[in-house]
Amino acid sequence: MKYYMIKPEVAGELGDNSKIIYEAGRIKEVTFLEFVFCDWLGDEILKARPCYMITKNLMDDFTINGIRGVKYEDVQISFSEDFLEMYEDTSEMPAFVRLVPLNKVECFGEDMEDDIYADKCNRLIASEKALEILKRHKIDRCDIEEVG
């Protein structure tokens, strides 16, 4: 099976309400995500290092199609002042959830059974099956690179 590195649109940043565990000055884990939109060009998969978010619509598509290796968590959504100046009406924004890969992958091999992984640098890795589902959604600003 082929796998792909997914590099989503960066549309915001971690908010002050995010719960972060640090180790040696680096983010080890985010236990709760507040995502602050600073800009958004409409993609259904987003990143705010080290976290990923997808629309609820995309989550439903992943779930219906049996995508393995991921869990979904609630996310608190906020908007920067600049964002609110550009997009006065946020009521049309889709609902988002946090996408959390359950496993890390260091090398690509035949023992890979999940559809979603994070690599050692926390980059998102998706199977062909997951990529095909992603492509049915708006991912115009997402870079995709085959990795294995």
Side-chain angles (χ1 to χ4, degrees):
M1 182 183 322
K2 292 182 182 177
Y3 283 86
Y4 301 85
M5 184 181 305
I6 308 297
K7 299 176 184 176
E9 173 186 355
V10 177
E13 60 194 12
L14 302 181
D16 291 339
N17 290 335
S18 295
K19 305 293 184 218
I20 303 169
I21 298 171
Y22 291 92
E23 185 175 272
R26 304 184 107 175
I27 295 175
K28 178 181 178 187
E29 182 181 0
V30 177
T31 59
F32 177 77
L33 174 61
E34 176 194 11
F35 185 85
V36 180
F37 275 92
C38 298
D39 192 11
W40 182 50
L41 300 172
D43 276 12
E44 291 191 54
I45 182 168
L46 305 173
K47 181 177 183 177
R49 192 171 179 96
C51 300
Y52 297 93
M53 288 193 336
I54 60 173
T55 61
K56 185 167 182 328
N57 187 34
L58 178 52
M59 178 194 75
D60 291 343
D61 208 358
F62 275 173
T63 302
I64 288 166
N65 286 283
I67 294 300
R68 299 175 315 244
V70 65
K71 69 177 179 176
Y72 308 101
E73 296 178 351
D74 291 335
V75 60
Q76 177 184 341
I77 300 294
S78 302
F79 304 98
S80 70
E81 289 181 26
D82 289 341
F83 185 91
L84 292 173
E85 286 178 17
M86 291 184 290
Y87 308 94
E88 294 174 6
D89 182 12
T90 59
S91 65
E92 299 292 318
M93 295 280 295
F96 281 89
V97 296
R98 183 175 174 197
L99 179 143
V100 181
L102 295 176
N103 297 302
K104 298 267 187 191
V105 63
E106 291 192 24
C107 61
F108 298 92
E110 293 186 23
D111 58 339
M112 294 175 64
E113 296 179 0
D114 287 337
D115 295 296
I116 302 284
Y117 291 93
D119 72 4
K120 63 183 178 181
C121 297
N122 202 45
R123 293 176 293 215
L124 193 63
I125 307 297
S127 67
E128 276 184 285
K129 178 181 177 181
L131 179 61
E132 288 306 312
I133 295 166
L134 277 168
K135 286 181 176 181
R136 296 194 299 241
H137 295 263
K138 188 164 194 261
I139 59 166
D140 298 339
R141 304 287 186 261
C142 191
D143 291 331
I144 300 166
E145 175 184 323
E146 186 175 332
V147 292

